[in-house]
Each structure stands twice: as structure tokens, then as C-alpha cells.
């Protein structure tokens, strides 16, 4: 159980670091648009979970990290202000 917890923490932290870099790319790429854009973290986490082992066993991990960051920068969503609606239960 501890191993699963720490593995999940590791993947979340690695994804957060890479999405921070991808967000900088996204900010430059979409600066002339009407809305601000942000990296879709759920999509980035899914991509990281599917390819984490490949990252560690690959000989070209630097190229793989670059590909991950660019893929994360491509998966963005628009930030629209005042789109928070209260939920009724």
C-alpha cells in the first residue's frame, strides 16, 4: 500500500514539473488569443502514467521528455473567467 502511495506521489510530482514547463510554452504560443490557455493536467497525467516505464528504460530519455512536454503543451484548455457555477445537491 505504501509503495502505491509513493508511486502515485512520484508520478504526480513529475507531471507537475513537466506541466510547469509546458505551461511556459503554452503561454508563449497562445499569448495573442482572446482567452488564456492552460495545460490540461488530467490529460498530462494520463499521458505520463501510460509512458512512465518507457521513460526509465529508454536510451533517449531526453528526447522522450521533450516529446512529453510538447504533447502536454498541445493539450490545452481555455480559461474562461466567471465560469464557476455552484452545485446543488
Amino acid at each position: 500500500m505504501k509503495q502505491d502511495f509513493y508511486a502515485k506521489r512520484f508520478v504526480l510530482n513529475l507531471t507537475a514539473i513537466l506541466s510547469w514547463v509546458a505551461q511556459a510554452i503554452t503561454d508563449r504560443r497562445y499569448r495573442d488569443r482572446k482567452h488564456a490557455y492552460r495545460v490540461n493536467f488530467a490529460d498530462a497525467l494520463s499521458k505520463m502514467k501510460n509512458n512512465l516505464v518507457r521513460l526509465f528504460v529508454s536510451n533517449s530519455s531526453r528526447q522522450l521528455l521533450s516529446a512529453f512536454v510538447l504533447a502536454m503543451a498541445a493539450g490545452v484548455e481555455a480559461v474562461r473567467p466567471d465560469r464557476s457555477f455552484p452545485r446543488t445537491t
Side-chain angles (χ1 to χ4, degrees):
M1 183 111 153
K2 271 187 174 180
Q3 184 178 3
D4 290 340
F5 173 78
Y6 289 119
K8 180 90 170 176
R9 282 280 128 208
F10 176 73
V11 171
L12 283 170
N13 287 335
L14 185 60
T15 305
I17 291 167
L18 294 178
S19 67
W20 180 70
V21 174
Q23 185 62 48
I25 294 169
T26 301
D27 290 341
R28 274 188 270 126
R29 189 180 286 173
Y30 296 107
R31 67 176 165 239
D32 296 330
R33 301 250 179 129
K34 178 181 176 182
H35 296 290
Y37 284 80
R38 68 175 176 211
V39 173
N40 186 340
F41 191 78
D43 186 43
L45 185 62
S46 174
K47 289 175 185 170
M48 183 58 70
K49 283 181 183 179
N50 291 336
N51 295 300
L52 185 66
V53 174
R54 189 176 303 150
L55 178 66
F56 288 109
V57 297
S58 173
N59 291 334
S60 59
S61 60
R62 186 173 289 202
Q63 293 172 343
L64 193 56
L65 279 175
S66 297
F68 279 150
V69 169
L70 291 176
M72 289 178 191
V76 296
E77 55 189 16
V79 178
R80 294 178 181 93
D82 302 325
R83 288 288 179 119
S84 178
F85 299 105
R87 295 182 181 177
T88 56
T89 55

